[in-house]
Amino acid sequence: MEQRFIFKNRKPRLDVFHTVWQAPSNIALIKYWGKTAPQLPKNASLSFTLSDAFTQTAVTFKPLKTPTETVSFRIVFEGEEKPSFRPKLETFFEQIVLYQSFLLHYTLEISSHNTFPHSSGIASSASSMAALAACLMDLEAQLSPMSEDLKKEKTSFLARLGSGSASRSIQGPMMAWGAHEAIPHSSDLVAVGVDAIHPVFQSYCDTILLVDKGQKQVSSTLGHQLMHNHPYAEQRFAQANRQLKNLVPVLQSGDLDAFIPIVEKEALDLHAMMMTSDPYFILMQPNTLHIIQAIWSFRTKTNIPVCFTLDAGANVHVLYPKNVAKEVMAFIESDLLSFCENRQCVHDRVGVGIKKA
Ligand code: DP6
């Protein structure tokens, strides 16, 4: 138990409290893949916080006459009650009630929607858990006033217990999660902001190419588990930490020639772990590879510093600095959209983190 995150005020507020928060998705440059209980990462990870791909969550906390044993809630997603979302949320509440005992004095009406297309294959657990954690922390701050810094820190802490990558959606432009010598104050418990980022990265663009909008055949949760008996796991964790160490000075200097190979290698290392686990699996699709090849040829031909990364799916994140956005968007339109389902993509960029709506 993390003592400093335990809610201590014993008097729950009794009136109805309603709050609405937005939290963005994030895209990892150094990937988190492998964890131990309670949701602690096997290596440090680092991501760009996104802007337009976000979840908006409203929570109405209604006081109860007698406290319950487990957190009482209803979940509505995009206008519909979602029983299928309950197990993940029940597990989340079981974990966090130790830190927010006041939740047992309320029933929660949670209503949530995403700005990105439904079933787009864009990871929604990061933005949805971060948005919910922000709502819960808003009530906690009413019950027991705290500094903004502590509030953000505990938001990341709670979000992490819901989904590891959600810990990194709280602030922008970049966050790192997992104790690492190159990141001051870094921790396995919460994500921290990465300081002194070169201006080029503060307005970086990410176009998400929707190659496969279907349900993934293998969930991230299972993928993380398969790292337990993975023959290359220890080398992978050490390598991710090394790549993060190499990336930090590059983020400060803005050296894009050094940035690109680290980022692309991380994406391929992540997928190499999937292909070599037992059972093995492949989340890339033929069109994922077509896109990667097209990005490489375009970069060689034009010298424009565009690169790709992948998360746990077939979609491709195309990363590029803002000053070449016009040329890259024209290239995406002419050469890449044909590899996407219904030519769909989401143009996003680096953002600032959670916001009260
Ligand atoms: C490939 O955070 O979705 O996107 O902690 O089980 O909810 P859980 O997993 P999740 O894993 C994200 C994996 C990744 C890499 C990353 O975002 O770092």
Side-chain angles (χ1 to χ4, degrees), residues 38-40 156-164 166-167 177 188-190:
Q39 202 94 292
L40 298 171
S156 174
F157 175 81
L158 297 180
R160 179 200 111 233
L161 291 168
S163 179
S167 66
W177 169 44
D188 286 350
L189 300 175
V190 296

Side-chain angles (χ1 to χ4, degrees), residues 43-339:
N43 62 263
S45 57
L46 184 150
S47 48
F48 274 134
T49 304
L50 296 179
S51 173
D52 294 352
F54 64 82
T55 299
Q56 179 162 310
T57 298
V59 183
T60 306
F61 299 86
K62 296 184 174 164
L64 294 166
K65 287 216 173 70
T66 30
T68 45
E69 302 250 302
T70 54
V71 177
S72 152
F73 70 93
R74 256 187 82 213
I75 170 75
V76 170
F77 179 68
E78 296 185 344
E80 268 178 53
E81 184 125 17
K82 284 280 175 190
S84 61
F85 286 18
R86 290 195 69 88
K88 193 165 170 129
L89 285 171
E90 277 161 9
T91 312
F92 172 63
F93 284 124
E94 268 164 39
Q95 303 274 327
I96 68 154
V97 76
L98 302 166
Y99 299 99
Q100 291 195 317
S101 53
F102 62 85
L103 290 176
L104 299 173
H105 295 262
Y106 294 86
T107 184
L108 279 56
E109 310 244 322
I110 307 166
S111 169
S112 193
H113 70 266
N114 294 337
T115 53
F116 38 92
H118 189 49
S119 305
S120 59
I122 297 179
S124 61
S125 69
S127 55
S128 59
M129 285 300 174
L132 179 56
C135 293
L136 302 178
M137 283 311 296
D138 202 11
L139 173 59
E140 177 169 336
Q142 308 290 320
L143 299 174
S144 178
M146 65 181 81
S147 70
E148 271 309 301
D149 283 352
L150 177 61
K151 190 175 170 193
K152 285 220 163 129
E153 209 186 344
K154 188 166 170 184
T155 308
S156 174
F157 175 81
L158 297 180
R160 179 200 111 233
L161 291 168
S163 179
S165 54
S167 66
R168 299 187 315 240
S169 275
I170 310 305
Q171 277 170 255
M174 296 195 116
M175 291 195 90
W177 169 44
H180 193 289
E181 55 178 7
I183 307 279
H185 313 295
S186 56
S187 153
D188 286 350
L189 300 175
V190 296
V192 295
V194 182
D195 293 334
I197 300 288
H198 189 277
V200 73
F201 295 119
Q202 297 189 20
S203 58
Y204 229 63
C205 303
D206 176 5
T207 297
I208 311 164
L209 300 177
L210 306 180
V211 171
D212 183 3
K213 305 200 297 151
Q215 190 80 15
K216 286 189 272 183
Q217 317 113 283
V218 180
S219 68
S220 293
T221 309
L222 181 59
H224 286 291
Q225 273 170 25
L226 292 175
M227 289 304 280
H228 283 305
N229 292 314
H230 197 294
Y232 307 136
E234 290 314 314
Q235 289 93 322
R236 160 65 198 156
F237 302 142
Q239 191 183 23
N241 283 328
R242 261 196 314 274
Q243 296 192 142
L244 194 149
K245 188 174 174 195
N246 295 339
L247 184 60
V248 169
V250 171
L251 296 176
Q252 290 161 355
S253 67
D255 177 356
L256 297 181
D257 290 337
F259 175 78
I260 290 172
I262 298 174
V263 169
E264 292 191 341
K265 181 154 180 16
E266 265 296 299
L268 297 180
D269 284 348
L270 168 72
H271 283 256
M273 289 302 107
M274 300 173 188
M275 290 191 241
T276 48
S277 59
D278 189 4
Y280 49 84
F281 60 102
I282 300 180
L283 294 183
M284 289 186 282
Q285 297 276 341
N287 281 344
T288 312
L289 295 178
H290 284 305
I291 291 169
I292 292 174
Q293 297 287 1
I295 290 173
W296 286 346
S297 330
F298 176 77
R299 193 164 74 218
T300 309
K301 210 166 59 199
T302 61
N303 267 324
I304 290 176
V306 53
C307 70
F308 73 88
T309 189
L310 306 168
D311 58 20
N315 295 338
V316 181
H317 289 249
V318 185
L319 302 176
Y320 49 96
K322 196 174 165 204
N323 67 341
V324 293
K326 208 168 141 233
E327 293 88 330
V328 175
M329 276 160 119
F331 158 65
I332 289 172
E333 175 74 35
S334 63
D335 291 41
L336 303 185
L337 288 189
S338 53
F339 298 120

